Structures are given as structure tokens and as C-alpha cells.
Amino acid sequence: MTGIIIFGSAGRMGRAVYEALVSSGAHLAGVDQPDIDNNPRRDPPPRVPLEQLARGGGDVIIDFTSPDVLEENLWAAQVAKKPIVIGTTGLTDSHHAMIDRAARSIPVLWSANMSMGVNLLAALVKDAASRLSVEWDIEILEMHHRHKVDAPSGTALMLGDAAAAGRGIDLDSAKVTVRDGITGERQYGDIGFATLRGGSVAGDHQVIFAAEGERLELGHRAEGRVIFARGAVRAAQWLVGKEPGRYTMAQVLGL
């Protein structure tokens, strides 16, 4: 059985990963917040030193924390020589550079979305974008719960990257995230993003290909965080024993 250590165990996703372990064929090897079942979130227990936790038992780390502690988490994984699966979103270029450096010495897998369905959706979006001409406008719509702090979502950007890759361009050259006032006509080749926030929505994403007289819509709806937790556990089990390097969910799923 794969022994999994959870960083961010007291958070929403950390708790979901803890629950997903039950039916995964893996077992809980350690958490950074003791007694994650019983402690109220508003009064968490002292955090276990991550380096000490990583050096203990367990085969692989799953990290659902926040960008500001990514460097610390990667360092702990490197010191312990443990693979790490990272599901934290809202990362900057400097965070990705940290991941690249860590991947020289340990296996690292980061994904903006751990859902198997979303990763298949990204593959479909890339394929559709590669087959449809620039006359097909691409718009990405996403909605999440009111507590989400970053926008567009990491998953929306992941789908945008897939669409851009299908067209053989860089997303930064085509991305439009703000429309307000007199914007003028839409430019051919733009990849637009629209963001909605409210309620308890776990994650809705829709990619719309719109041409004169027709639309193609590809989408995914998350009905709970458990789908991301299951994907993270599957990724962790897959990552054990791999050579140092940076891996993706597409590789886990053989896409």
C-alpha cells in the first residue's frame, strides 16, 4: 500500500484527500495538522514541522496548501527525497520556476486540476482547437464558490493553454480576461475568459467554439471536491518510483 503524507490536511482539499484514501488502496502516513478529523478549522493544532514529517514514514506527499508556502513544501520534499503531488493553484512564474528546480532532484507533479474528467476535457479542447480554423472564436466560462480567491481559475487557464497549444500559439498572446465598456469588435484569434463566483459551486468549466451559424461546447461540472482528491491520490500512487522530473496528469492518464 502506498503511504501518503498530506500537506494542508486541515483545509477543504486536505480533508477531501484524507477521505479519498479510504477506498484508494493507499494509507495515511502523516499529516501536517494532527487530528484532522476532530479539530475545528478556526482553532487548528500546532503544525508539524514539514521536514520532520517528510523524513518520517510514507512514500509520497500530496500538497494542497497555498502559493506562499510552496517553497517550504518543496524544500521538505527534496530533503526527504520524496515525490510530491501539488494541487495548489494561483501560482506565478516564480512558483513554477521553483517546481522546475525541485524536479531536478525529485519527481514532481503539478496540475491546476486533478480531476480525470477535466484532464480528458483539456485533451479534447486541444484536439478541437487544432482542427477548427481561427474563424472559430474560443471563449472559456468558469464558475466557482464564493470563497475562491484567484481568477480566472487555474483550470480555466489550463483549458486556455490547451486551446492555445492546439492552435500553435502562446496563451499570453491571445488571452482576454477583462471586457468592460466600449471594447470594440472581438479580434480573430482571441481566447476569452469569463469568471463567475457564488454559492458553493465546486467547479464548472465550459469551452465554447463559436463560428457563424454554429457553436461547439465542451464542458465539465464538478459535483464535489472528492473528484479532485481521487485524482490526486491516483497521481500520487503513479508517481512513486518515477525518476526525478516534472510530470502531468495527462501522463498519469496516458493521454
Side-chain angles (χ1 to χ4, degrees):
M1 294 175 68
T2 304
I4 294 177
I5 299 165
I6 305 174
F7 288 177
S9 56
R12 292 185 183 91
M13 277 307 307
R15 290 171 182 269
V17 171
Y18 176 76
E19 293 170 3
L21 289 173
V22 175
S23 59
S24 69
H27 75 275
L28 184 66
V31 295
D32 59 344
Q33 295 282 3
D35 302 323
I36 59 176
D37 265 345
N38 303 315
N39 284 280
R41 192 171 300 138
R42 65 176 178 270
D43 185 26
R47 196 177 188 215
V48 175
L50 295 187
E51 185 178 331
Q52 173 186 326
L53 176 60
R55 283 182 180 275
D59 305 300
V60 59
I61 298 163
I62 294 178
D63 172 22
F64 278 102
T65 52
S66 62
D68 60 332
V69 295
L70 178 64
E71 186 172 17
E72 177 187 0
N73 295 348
L74 287 170
W75 175 251
Q78 289 175 86
V79 169
K81 295 182 171 56
K82 296 266 173 71
I84 183 169
V85 172
I86 302 167
T88 303
T89 59
L91 302 187
T92 63
D93 288 344
S94 63
H95 291 120
H96 284 288
M98 293 176 193
I99 293 175
D100 289 337
R101 288 193 294 272
R104 296 171 190 165
S105 58
I106 59 172
V108 182
L109 188 152
W110 173 83
S111 178
N113 191 305
M114 296 288 176
S115 157
M116 289 174 273
V118 163
N119 281 274
L120 178 56
L121 173 61
L124 295 173
V125 167
K126 180 179 179 181
D127 186 50
S130 72
R131 295 173 183 272
L132 299 175
S133 72
V134 73
E135 293 179 353
W136 288 75
D137 300 323
I138 301 176
E139 293 288 316
I140 299 171
L141 174 66
E142 59 103 341
M143 182 171 184
H144 284 83
H145 54 86
R146 67 188 312 274
H147 302 290
K148 188 167 180 61
V149 299
D150 58 308
S153 70
T155 301
L157 293 172
M158 168 184 168
L159 295 171
D161 278 326
R167 285 192 165 169
I169 62 174
D170 183 77
L171 179 60
D172 287 339
S173 68
K175 180 171 61 177
V176 177
T177 57
V178 177
R179 293 190 179 110
D180 186 32
I182 306 302
T183 61
E185 291 187 358
R186 190 187 200 282
Q187 300 299 305
Y188 282 112
D190 283 352
I191 298 176
F193 290 82
T195 297
L196 305 178
R197 293 286 178 268
S200 58
V201 178
D204 287 358
H205 293 86
Q206 187 175 28
V207 181
I208 303 165
F209 295 85
E212 290 294 330
E214 59 181 326
R215 290 199 306 271
L216 170 66
E217 299 178 1
L218 302 173
H220 178 273
R221 291 189 176 185
E223 297 180 357
R225 292 184 180 86
V226 67
I227 65 170
F228 312 125
R230 283 199 302 257
V233 170
R234 178 170 174 177
Q237 292 171 312
W238 180 88
L239 196 60
V240 172
K242 295 292 186 293
E243 294 295 319
R246 184 164 180 169
Y247 297 90
T248 67
M249 281 299 292
Q251 290 172 289
V252 175
L253 300 175
L255 297 174

